[in-house]
Amino acid sequence: MSEGIKIVTSNRKAFYEYHISERLEAGIALVGTEVKSLRDGKANLQDAYCAVDGGEMFLYNLHIKEYDFGNRNNHEPTRKRKLLLHKKEIAKYRKAGAEKGYTIVPLKIYFKQGFAKVEIGLAKGKKLHDKRQSIAERESKRRLERVQRGGSYD
């Protein structure tokens, strides 16, 4: 974790479900109560995805809990939120997202120098055998680390 970055939430399931080929940092347009809820860590990326609509990229199904001390002007928890990207980046991701099997998923939300950012990734869905392979690699890595520390093999 580098200087000035505070991670709010990450989408660990995305790395299990998809092969991530490219990553990109984007700004996110939020209202005041959303920022306050994010600073409290009240966000969920579980079912979130990105899509290009009318030349702009939006983040859908990101759940940011209503701010506890907000009034009647509190935000809607799952509204679509605009991502702040350059037109070339949007065009590149629109073209890649149109290919069969590819989708754009948010990987993590964090604050960088006081600004809310979202890391998005171009992802292709894994097959069942790929998921099993990922689990096997993770388990063998754990065993190897355990043996190197002087623990038992089983």
Side-chain angles (χ1 to χ4, degrees):
M1 190 163 89
S2 50
E3 197 66 33
I5 294 179
K6 178 192 173 221
I7 296 176
V8 176
T9 185
S10 61
N11 191 357
R12 295 188 327 197
K13 192 173 181 183
F15 294 99
Y16 177 72
E17 296 285 334
Y18 302 102
H19 290 289
I20 309 297
S21 58
E22 288 185 37
R23 295 178 186 210
L24 181 67
E25 178 183 83
I28 183 169
L30 300 171
V31 296
T33 54
E34 290 175 325
V35 176
K36 290 180 179 186
S37 280
L38 276 181
R39 289 197 189 279
D40 287 343
K42 307 279 172 64
N44 187 358
L45 281 172
Q46 196 73 23
D47 298 323
Y49 66 96
C50 300
V52 178
D53 184 23
E56 296 178 332
M57 189 176 291
F58 291 95
L59 182 59
Y60 295 93
N61 287 346
L62 166 64
H63 187 276
I64 299 177
K65 186 176 178 268
E66 288 184 346
Y67 186 56
D68 292 333
F69 302 108
N71 57 12
R72 67 178 181 260
N73 296 326
N74 221 338
H75 66 276
E76 182 183 334
T78 57
R79 73 178 184 91
K80 73 177 186 178
R81 294 165 177 92
K82 183 178 176 181
L83 295 180
L84 308 173
L85 293 166
H86 293 283
K87 290 186 183 210
K88 289 181 181 178
E89 294 170 336
I90 293 172
K92 178 181 174 184
Y93 272 75
R94 176 189 312 154
K95 183 179 176 186
E99 291 181 31
K100 188 171 193 271
Y102 280 96
T103 187
I104 306 165
V105 294
L107 302 175
K108 63 182 169 184
I109 295 178
Y110 54 94
F111 283 97
K112 183 177 182 181
Q113 298 173 349
F115 294 101
K117 303 283 185 179
V118 61
E119 183 179 49
I120 59 174
L122 187 61
K124 186 171 178 115
K126 286 185 180 179
K127 305 283 188 236
L128 180 61
H129 61 86
D130 292 334
K131 293 177 187 177
R132 288 179 182 157
Q133 183 179 2
S134 296
I135 293 170
E137 288 173 4
R138 187 173 61 230
E139 291 296 323
S140 65
K141 185 177 176 184
R142 284 182 186 160
R143 284 189 186 123
L144 183 63
E145 288 174 359
R146 201 175 298 138
V147 168
Q148 288 176 347
R149 284 193 311 251
S152 65
Y153 179 69
D154 39 289

